[in-house]
Amino acid sequence: MTSTLGANDAVLIDALKSGDERAFGELVDRWSSVMLRVALAHARSHAIAEEVVQEAWLTVLRSLDRFERRSTLRTWVLGIVVNIARARFRAERRLVPLQPEDDGPTVEPSRFLPADHPRWPHHWAIEPVPWRTPEEDLLAGETRKIIDQAIAELPPAQREVLVLRDLEGMAADEACNILGVTSTHQRVLLHRARARVRNALERYLTGKGAA
């Protein structure tokens, strides 16, 4: 298979193999935040996510000689984080019963017209409510807390896709490589994740989520 490793990655790998502490420190500073966010998709606490990241860095250093350079270094490193985080999650799940992931509709069926509607089958009966706040307000204050909470409550598989695609801005093919999922599965997970977050935000903005 043709290598997709960039020149900068090749130089960095050589530096890491030679024990260049400065190169390793720069890499930790650059990638630890995204690694932590990916780990949090499965970890039940921030402390556990930090442990996952630390274990991932140790694995990276131990495994450099086995890196086949068929992907970018970042893709490989984040793939290690995903594997470790999933393994921790499976181990914890044996001890703490969890609710199964909900595969139901992402939008309430009652919001659509019936299949036998004479003019608009399956179209919106109740359209999404326009957000009353400007775009910049969506990133501030209570609204941001609602978004963060909605992301935190996503099933792990949906959360890790949303983190990579929407929070980290990764391309679909890189996200698929990191997570080991097909393009179709990735699109489904991302659609469901975005719909859940939007639904939570809509409930907040319309006051339906208020106590």
Side-chain angles (χ1 to χ4, degrees):
M1 181 181 294
T2 303
S3 173
T4 60
L5 193 69
N8 291 338
D9 277 357
V11 171
L12 182 56
I13 290 173
D14 290 341
L16 293 175
K17 286 184 175 181
S18 68
D20 188 331
E21 294 184 3
R22 180 178 178 182
F24 179 69
E26 290 177 352
L27 196 62
V28 169
D29 290 341
R30 192 189 319 164
W31 289 348
S32 284
S33 60
V34 60
M35 292 168 70
L36 184 63
R37 284 192 287 272
V38 171
L40 282 168
H42 289 281
R44 298 181 63 81
S45 72
H46 199 278
I48 292 177
E50 290 179 338
E51 291 177 5
V52 168
V53 172
Q54 292 172 6
E55 184 177 347
W57 280 124
L58 292 175
T59 301
V60 167
L61 293 177
R62 290 195 299 261
S63 306
L64 278 173
D65 289 336
R66 298 196 298 272
F67 178 40
E68 297 180 353
R69 308 192 181 201
R70 296 178 179 177
S71 66
T72 66
L73 184 61
R74 183 176 74 161
T75 297
W76 180 66
V77 170
L78 291 179
I80 290 174
V81 176
V82 168
N83 289 335
I84 294 174
R86 287 174 176 174
R88 286 289 295 264
F89 177 74
R90 288 192 295 268
E92 291 175 3
R93 188 169 55 181
R94 298 188 190 102
L95 302 176
V96 181
L98 298 176
Q99 294 296 325
E101 181 172 331
D102 179 16
D103 288 326
T106 55
V107 181
E108 289 294 329
S110 61
R111 300 187 68 170
F112 297 96
L113 296 172
D116 59 355
H117 191 276
R119 292 193 61 188
W120 309 109
H122 300 300
H123 282 232
W124 287 105
I126 305 174
E127 295 185 359
V129 178
W131 293 334
R132 67 175 184 267
T133 52
E135 180 178 354
E136 58 269 20
D137 190 51
L138 298 179
L139 302 177
E142 289 299 320
T143 305
R144 182 67 202 186
K145 293 180 182 178
I146 296 298
I147 293 174
D148 290 341
Q149 181 179 348
I151 293 173
E153 293 175 354
L154 290 171
Q158 295 179 20
R159 188 159 63 244
E160 60 186 10
V161 171
L162 187 73
V163 166
L164 294 179
R165 292 297 314 281
D166 289 353
L167 300 187
E168 298 303 326
M170 291 185 186
D173 57 349
E174 184 175 11
C176 289
N177 288 337
I178 291 170
L179 301 175
V181 298
T182 65
S183 177
T184 299
H185 192 197
Q186 182 268 155
R187 285 197 300 270
V188 171
L189 291 171
L190 183 60
H191 166 72
R192 288 185 175 276
R194 286 172 172 172
R196 285 172 181 251
V197 173
R198 180 185 173 88
N199 289 344
L201 187 57
E202 184 179 273
R203 288 194 300 272
Y204 167 71
L205 294 176
T206 58
K208 294 180 179 179

